[in-house]
Amino acid sequence: VGVRAEHARVSDLALRLVTPGGASALLFENRGLTTTNGLGGVFISSNYQHVALSLDRAAGVARIYFNGEIVAQQSVALSASNNPTSFHLGAMGPANLPGSPVQLDDIGLWRRSLRDGEIRQIYEEGSFGKAKSPDLMKSGLAALWPLDGFGFDTLPGQTINLANIGIKVDGQMNFGMRLSGNGTGATTTDSRIRDVGNLPGFTLEGWVKPESGNERMVVGGWYDRVTRQVGPVLLLGQSAPWGNGPGSL
């Protein structure tokens, strides 16, 4: 393990902790400033992992990220006629999706497809316990659920709150939420969240901690009870036809 300085000047400096295998975590970044105050940080050691599903409708591409890195991408089509009736976190019983207990934290839903570097930054900052800020609403954040023992959306001026929330548990940042994997999960029918098909793209991302193994987990997604169609939805460890088995995204 070593520390890598990525910029020559103290006024434009980034320090990373790097493992022999090439994995890295951002320790400190100071761009364009003239002080070194605030060097360092506390790395949060937990079993939470950051996952993200990003869909660029114009490009017709969906990407899945694990701890800041792309692990899969595929050509997809998100029809403008897609009109789901509900959004779910942690379970999707109405769709008969298999579920297992899972803990979630700091879930963000974005109105656009985030760039690779943006997702990597969210992961790196979260690794040091820095939660997403409501100020990111200016950058396309559509809903922010910290899940600190409640289902409130913390973006200013809106109340896209989740019903049927789970139990408060320790999180990657402060507290998280445990869901049993059964029933509806934490859910909302707010039209601002349902209207997926007309967006130019979206990103669903947050922190996930399995409770037992890495099978049959629902992170979050949409369901249409009229047509009984599922998706888009981010799943972990689901068997075919939903996934490729334990450990898959």
Side-chain angles (χ1 to χ4, degrees):
V1 178
V3 175
R4 182 177 72 220
E6 295 189 327
H7 301 276
R9 301 176 301 168
V10 170
S11 62
D12 194 16
L13 178 69
L15 297 179
R16 289 178 178 271
L17 186 67
V18 184
T19 70
S24 69
L26 184 67
L27 294 177
F28 172 79
E29 188 172 36
N30 185 346
R31 295 187 179 276
L33 303 180
T34 57
T35 175
T36 59
N37 291 340
L39 280 168
V42 178
F43 187 82
I44 306 299
S45 178
S46 74
N47 288 326
Y48 280 90
Q49 312 293 331
H50 187 264
V51 296
L53 167 63
S54 182
L55 191 144
D56 185 338
R57 184 177 171 214
V61 176
R63 298 180 178 88
I64 294 178
Y65 298 78
F66 179 77
N67 286 345
E69 302 295 332
I70 294 178
V71 294
Q73 73 175 39
Q74 182 174 329
S75 297
V76 295
L78 186 60
S79 170
S81 63
N82 185 28
N83 188 28
T85 55
S86 55
F87 175 82
H88 304 257
L89 290 176
M92 199 178 290
N96 294 319
L97 275 176
S100 294
V102 63
Q103 298 179 22
L104 303 175
D105 193 13
D106 203 45
I107 301 294
L109 179 62
W110 300 73
R111 299 181 185 278
R112 61 184 180 87
S113 176
L114 295 183
R115 296 184 294 272
D116 295 351
E118 292 175 306
I119 292 177
R120 189 175 302 114
Q121 182 177 356
I122 291 172
Y123 161 67
E124 291 175 342
E125 291 180 349
S127 297
F128 287 86
K130 182 179 179 181
K132 290 182 285 291
S133 168
D135 289 341
L136 291 171
M137 187 176 184
K138 303 171 185 176
S139 300
L141 188 60
L144 176 57
W145 296 292
L147 304 179
D148 289 338
F150 50 80
F152 301 153
D153 169 23
T154 58
L155 294 186
Q158 65 181 38
T159 53
I160 306 176
N161 299 331
L162 300 170
N164 305 320
I165 64 170
I167 301 170
K168 184 168 71 173
V169 294
D170 290 337
Q172 177 70 14
M173 300 81 166
N174 198 14
F175 296 105
M177 179 177 67
R178 178 192 185 273
L179 292 137
S180 67
N182 300 316
T184 65
T187 183
T188 179
T189 58
D190 191 291
S191 61
R192 290 167 290 183
I193 301 302
R194 294 193 337 251
D195 190 19
V196 180
N198 295 324
L199 298 179
F202 75 87
T203 302
L204 173 64
E205 52 82 20
W207 294 83
V208 180
K209 179 181 177 181
E211 279 204 0
S212 56
N214 54 1
E215 300 181 65
R216 301 182 302 278
M217 285 173 288
V218 177
V219 178
W222 292 263
Y223 177 64
D224 186 341
R225 61 178 174 80
V226 177
T227 62
R228 297 185 179 180
Q229 291 184 332
V230 177
V233 61
L234 180 57
L235 305 171
L236 300 179
Q238 296 281 354
S239 300
W242 302 108
N244 295 319
S248 64
L249 279 166

